[in-house]
Amino acid sequence: MNFDRIVCFDLEMCCWNDGRTSRTGEIIEIGVAELDLNTGRIVRRAQHYVKPVHDEISPFCTELTGIKPDLIEKNGKPLETILRSIEQKFGGRHKIYAAWGHDDRILKKECDAKELKVLFREYLNLATLFKLQRHVTNKRLGQRAAMEIAGVTWEGRQHSGYVDAYNLARLAATMFCEQDVLTTDK
């Protein structure tokens, strides 16, 4: 296990606001940003579009995420292909993966449904870890609010897996790295 790096990821899923019982569906984007805990630098990033098998991208989903159906049609790949790519580029079972909230459960559920293997063994829920800090009094906050508390300015468009993963790695640096080494590479 590599304890010198954390691979932060963020998922975007098909979503609707039309009264469906389930408000999200299949994964359509996985953003990844790898944080070197020794240097405080984000050393690698990736954005992967996933082609859904059963769902379609609604106008609401496009408005929220910026992901259009034609973008997925042109650049999307099957989830299995994306997971293999992430494992090859970032290292799967030998790295610690982290997300804000329960993205691990969402990914596992979809992997189980598609009979795929989840690419990591170790997972950190950074939302829980952040909220456990003594100075955090509001225990019901999102990633962007947590960044404000940590003194980190949000960069980019929210609800883009690529941007959200990058910002999460920047937040993780404030939690796990020495303050004097915190820098980011774009």
Side-chain angles (χ1 to χ4, degrees), residues 130 135 143-154 170-171 174 179 182:
F130 187 84
H135 71 278
Q143 179 181 335
R144 194 166 186 154
M147 289 182 67
E148 288 176 22
I149 290 169
V152 181
T153 304
W154 186 275
R170 293 173 63 231
L171 177 61
T174 69
Q179 294 301 327
L182 292 182

Side-chain angles (χ1 to χ4, degrees), residues 12 27-30 47-52 56-58 61-78 82 157 159-162:
E12 299 301 328
I27 297 166
I28 55 173
E29 182 191 9
I30 303 176
Q47 179 177 37
H48 298 280
Y49 292 111
V50 182
K51 193 174 279 194
E56 59 186 51
I57 298 168
S58 70
C61 188
T62 296
E63 183 181 324
L64 182 67
T65 66
I67 299 171
K68 297 178 180 176
D70 61 335
L71 177 68
I72 294 296
E73 189 58 41
K74 182 179 176 184
N75 298 308
K77 293 182 175 59
I82 299 303
R157 182 188 200 286
H159 299 297
S160 157
Y162 183 69

Side-chain angles (χ1 to χ4, degrees), residues 102-133:
H102 299 291
D103 280 13
D104 63 319
R105 293 180 190 172
I106 295 166
L107 182 60
K108 182 174 179 359
K109 182 178 177 184
E110 189 160 332
C111 284
D112 287 349
K114 294 179 178 177
E115 299 180 350
L116 303 173
K117 193 172 174 180
V118 176
L119 58 100
F120 52 83
R121 285 188 190 137
E122 297 291 331
Y123 173 78
L124 299 174
N125 179 335
L126 294 183
T128 298
L129 293 173
F130 187 84
K131 293 169 190 176
L132 287 173
Q133 296 177 91

Side-chain angles (χ1 to χ4, degrees), residues 8-85:
C8 297
F9 70 98
D10 185 77
L11 306 175
E12 299 301 328
M13 287 85 61
C14 290
C15 52
W16 309 272
N17 66 345
D18 60 5
R20 297 179 197 204
T21 303
S22 174
R23 301 186 75 150
T24 61
E26 289 180 89
I27 297 166
I28 55 173
E29 182 191 9
I30 303 176
V32 187
E34 185 172 356
L35 173 66
D36 183 319
L37 297 172
N38 294 316
T39 65
R41 290 186 179 271
I42 295 166
V43 295
R44 200 174 317 178
R45 296 172 70 187
Q47 179 177 37
H48 298 280
Y49 292 111
V50 182
K51 193 174 279 194
V53 176
H54 304 290
D55 291 331
E56 59 186 51
I57 298 168
S58 70
F60 171 75
C61 188
T62 296
E63 183 181 324
L64 182 67
T65 66
I67 299 171
K68 297 178 180 176
D70 61 335
L71 177 68
I72 294 296
E73 189 58 41
K74 182 179 176 184
N75 298 308
K77 293 182 175 59
L79 181 60
E80 181 177 21
T81 303
I82 299 303
L83 294 177
R84 251 195 325 265
S85 176

